[in-house]
Amino acid sequence: MPRPLIAVSTPIETLSTPFGDRDCTKLATAYTDAIYAAGGQPAIVPVTADPPPDLLARFDGLVLSGGGDLDPRLYGEEPDSSVYGIRPDRDTFEVALYHDAVARELPVLAICRGMQLVNVVHRGSLIQQIEDDTDHWQTIASHEAAHKIEISPDTRLAGVLGQAVARVNSYHHQALKDLGLGLRVAARCGAVIEAIEAEDAPVLAVQWHPEQMAATDQLQRSLFAAFVSTAAEYRNNTKQEMN
Ligand code: MN
């Protein structure tokens, strides 16, 4: 059986190169390592103009990666001074990717910015700057947990993790405000929403960075294992003729 093919979205950043300052595709290898270790074949999908509506037809799953902030205009606000790294080209591309994924019922794992994007596409909104983000932007190593989360019972996340409380890392200065339509909260840290899932689509989204913990933390590995296994089922159900 071939590995399920997992599309991974990626940041685009203007970086200094031998050619001058150029737009670059730049993704931490932790994402692709975690997917590969779980049995998936990751494929980074770069930001391109006018993505075709069937871009994800060849794939079995989608990971929406982290990165800079979404343009607050997507949820009807002007950016305040805390907002950083806005790339409207990336926003537009990932919104199209997500619509395509949902239309074909593709399994989606959305991480950090990815979770915020899912909420905004579902017509939710974001807090542009959490009042006190000291607990949520850690200075300890990225594989170490910064805070506790309480997992909502009867969610897919609870089923995957098999426990009511977990400890996760944290690198976000924004958080979900209004929850989008058709979504439910799957985990919280106090008032901060730390995970959501779609009510009628295989979409799981987390505010933390499980890929940074996966090499050393069995619980975070289980998130990727469950996601790749859902992608393998998707592949079996939709691509029989290709096997
Ligand atoms: Mn957090």
Side-chain angles (χ1 to χ4, degrees), residues 22-200:
R22 292 289 183 273
D23 277 351
C24 295
T25 291
K26 197 198 81 176
L27 183 73
T29 54
Y31 288 100
T32 45
D33 288 347
I35 293 163
Y36 191 79
Q41 174 57 54
I44 294 171
V45 178
V47 174
T48 49
D50 304 322
D54 62 348
L55 191 150
L56 290 171
R58 280 162 274 196
F59 292 95
D60 307 307
L62 170 66
V63 169
L64 291 170
S65 59
D69 294 334
L70 290 178
D71 188 341
R73 293 173 191 91
L74 289 171
Y75 47 95
E77 294 183 16
E78 286 301 309
D80 71 23
S81 60
S82 69
V83 170
Y84 77 95
I86 292 183
R87 288 291 308 219
D89 48 357
R90 183 183 184 195
D91 292 349
T92 301
F93 181 75
E94 289 188 339
V95 167
L97 270 191
Y98 182 68
H99 279 303
D100 187 16
V102 168
R104 56 184 78 250
E105 298 178 38
L106 200 69
V108 176
L109 176 61
I111 294 175
C112 199
R113 166 200 156 88
M115 169 168 121
Q116 297 172 353
L117 182 127
V118 166
N119 190 52
V120 167
V121 172
H122 284 259
R123 292 160 55 194
S125 62
L126 305 179
I127 300 166
Q128 293 194 38
Q129 173 64 46
I130 306 174
E131 241 168 72
D132 180 3
D133 66 6
T134 47
D135 288 343
H136 293 283
W137 200 289
Q138 71 191 57
T139 52
I140 55 174
S142 66
H143 68 279
E144 289 178 29
H147 66 65
K148 195 168 78 170
I149 54 167
E150 285 172 4
I151 298 153
S152 318
D154 303 322
T155 55
R156 286 195 296 272
L157 182 66
V160 169
L161 298 184
Q163 51 194 71
V165 172
R167 290 185 55 77
V168 299
N169 61 8
S170 199
Y171 288 91
H172 57 110
H173 76 104
Q174 302 195 324
L176 268 52
K177 188 159 64 181
D178 298 321
L179 186 66
L181 304 173
L183 301 174
R184 61 174 166 246
V185 173
R188 289 178 192 273
C189 171
V192 174
I193 294 172
E194 286 278 341
I196 56 173
E197 46 193 51
E199 284 168 355
D200 54 6

